[in-house]
């Protein structure tokens, strides 16, 4: 017997198809809505599920939540640093994804989930000037906007085949869902949101008031854009959505397009972080806009060579026995970062009289750096390099992050380095004095730095410092 009506479908999905998910979501919401709940109570709920625990820690250590990259090893620490609502958003997202994807997800489910991640990141970008709590609120609302439809394609059983046939015959979606389900997907999403207490922002986004709040407007705009982008960035619907976002954000149309494309590229990495690797290829990334190809034709990003890394690190550790001088050590490190770690542009800079200047460089696009890579690093300056000097450790500046420190890229730095993108920086110290600095990036578009590359960079910096200290001690 085919299930008909919103209430029947909500009961079927909540109590029969996804009871564990519904139960955990309710338990999480009860805690995060309780002013008396403490870190230990929320941690206890998460720690009941080993898979959820590992996923929360992995996401908590991602660049978005942990830009300083100081390891977060416990759930309690993650809650303290990210906050109750942030951890709640992570948990709900992970549980929904794991519950829906299953072993052999249908193509329609994968398509909807790709749109969900794309919309979630776009929405978070639209409110990036607000606090972290608002950003997580719109992220989860946009991610779960089509929860009813995703749940149906995952758990609908016999009705799924019937609806597939209707759609294949060209029946409009609303007409087909009314005939097969007896209700709309949106009504199921709203009832699930109400029953699972997923927040007013999601509920109002599904059936918005005449004057929606900025949070609700951001979710709606992001959802419209994610659907329109399926037909290409230059499609009429996508261009119209871009104009609406430009009016909402107050940015120029050109800046809005750049922000949208940045978010689209980020969406794939976010989906991967949340364990949804199967949808990454369905998220439209930065390909073509205004008739201009964003990535160089035929460009192939450099690949890391772990064996070469190991060989160079071994040679660095033997620097003293092989009687290598400082310049030889620096050149080895440059090659290790470039060819071994796979970083397109690398520079070693020396610091003198409150200025940093490039001495050794490698990679395409660095031809003029020895002359032009010359910036002030006095105590009054605030830029990439002064931040690294004060941090006294490897620093990953991720310009794709919603909270990226844009002010660190001064106009002078942009003029030489070509704009805002992710970079790795680390000072080389003698005592408390920074005498030199390594800088590396992947300046070609769509060539973002990975966590593994950052850890390799960190390892090279540590080995460099040790080699130089041993060399100084021997003399």
């Amino acid at each position: 017997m085919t299930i008909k009506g919103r209430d029947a479908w909500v009961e079927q999905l909540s109590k029969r198809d996804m009871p564990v998910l519904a139960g955990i979501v309710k338990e999480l919401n009860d805690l995060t809505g309780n002013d008396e709940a403490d870190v230990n109570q929320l941690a206890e709920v998460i720690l009941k599920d080993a898979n959820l625990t590992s996923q929360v820690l992995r996401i908590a250590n991602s660049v978005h939540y942990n830009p300083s990259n100081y390891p977060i090893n416990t759930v309690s620490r993650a809650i303290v640093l990210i906050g109750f609502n942030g951890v709640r958003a992570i948990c709900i997202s992970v549980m929904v994804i794991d519950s829906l994807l299953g072993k052999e997800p249908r193509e329609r489910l994968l398509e909807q989930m790709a749109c969900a991640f794309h919309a979630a990141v776009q929405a978070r970008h639209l409110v990036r000037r607000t606090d972290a709590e608002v950003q997580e609120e719109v992220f989860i609302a946009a991610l779960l906007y089509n929860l009813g439809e995703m749940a149906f394609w995952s758990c609908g059983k016999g009705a799924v085949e019937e609806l597939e046939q209707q759609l294949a015959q060209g029946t409009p979606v609303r007409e087909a869902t009314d005939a097969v389900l007896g209700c709309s997907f949106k009504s199921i999403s709203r009832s699930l949101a109400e029953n699972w207490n997923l927040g007013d922002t999601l509920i109002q986004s599904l059936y918005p008031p005449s004057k929606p709040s900025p949070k609700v407007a951001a979710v709606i705009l992001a959802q419209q854009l994610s659907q329109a982008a399926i037909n290409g960035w230059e499609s009429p619907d996508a261009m119209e959505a871009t104009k609406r976002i430009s009016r909402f954000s107050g940015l120029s149309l050109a800046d809005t397009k750049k922000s949208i494309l940045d978010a689209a590229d980020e969406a794939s990495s976010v989906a991967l972080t949340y364990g949804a690797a199967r949808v990454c290829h369905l998220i439209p990334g930065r390909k073509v806009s205004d008739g201009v190809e964003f990535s160089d034709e035929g460009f192939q990003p450099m690949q890391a060579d772990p064996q070469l890394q190991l060989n160079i690190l071994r040679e660095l550790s033997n620097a003293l026995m092989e009687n290598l001088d400082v310049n030889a050590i620096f050149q080895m490190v440059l090659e290790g970062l470039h060819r071994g770690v796979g970083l397109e542009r690398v520079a070693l800079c020396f610091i003198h009289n409150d200025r940093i200047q490039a001495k050794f460089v490698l990679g395409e696009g660095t031809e003029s750096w020895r002359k032009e890579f010359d910036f002030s690093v006095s105590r009054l300056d605030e830029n990439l390099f002064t931040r690294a000097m004060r941090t006294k450790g490897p620093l990953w500046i991720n310009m794709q992050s919603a909270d990226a420190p844009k002010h660190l890229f001064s106009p002078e730095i942009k003029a030489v380095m070509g704009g805002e993108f992710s970079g790795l920086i680390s000072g080389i110290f003698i005592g408390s004095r920074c005498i030199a600095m390594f800088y590396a990036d992947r300046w070609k578009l769509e060539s973002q730095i990975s966590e593994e590359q950052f850890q390799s960079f960190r390892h090279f910096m540590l080995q460099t410092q040790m080699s130089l200290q041993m060399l100084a001690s021997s003399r």
Side-chain angles (χ1 to χ4, degrees), residues 233-289:
W233 292 113
E234 306 308 318
S235 67
D237 286 346
M239 294 177 73
E240 181 58 34
T242 301
K243 291 176 183 177
R244 288 196 292 269
I245 289 174
S246 175
R247 290 193 291 270
F248 173 84
S249 63
L251 298 175
S252 68
L253 198 57
D255 287 342
T256 300
K257 288 180 178 179
K258 182 182 183 304
S259 177
I260 285 172
L261 293 172
D262 287 344
D265 286 343
E266 183 184 331
S268 294
S269 63
V270 170
L272 186 63
T273 302
Y274 277 78
R278 283 176 283 189
V279 310
C280 292
H281 70 288
L282 297 171
I283 299 174
R286 178 187 257 106
K287 298 190 188 308
V288 179
S289 180

Side-chain angles (χ1 to χ4, degrees), residues 98-117:
D98 283 354
S99 178
L100 295 180
L101 282 179
K103 293 182 180 179
E104 296 181 1
R106 290 176 175 269
E107 188 64 22
R108 290 188 185 275
L109 170 60
L110 296 178
E111 290 170 356
Q112 284 299 318
M113 193 167 287
C115 283
F117 274 108

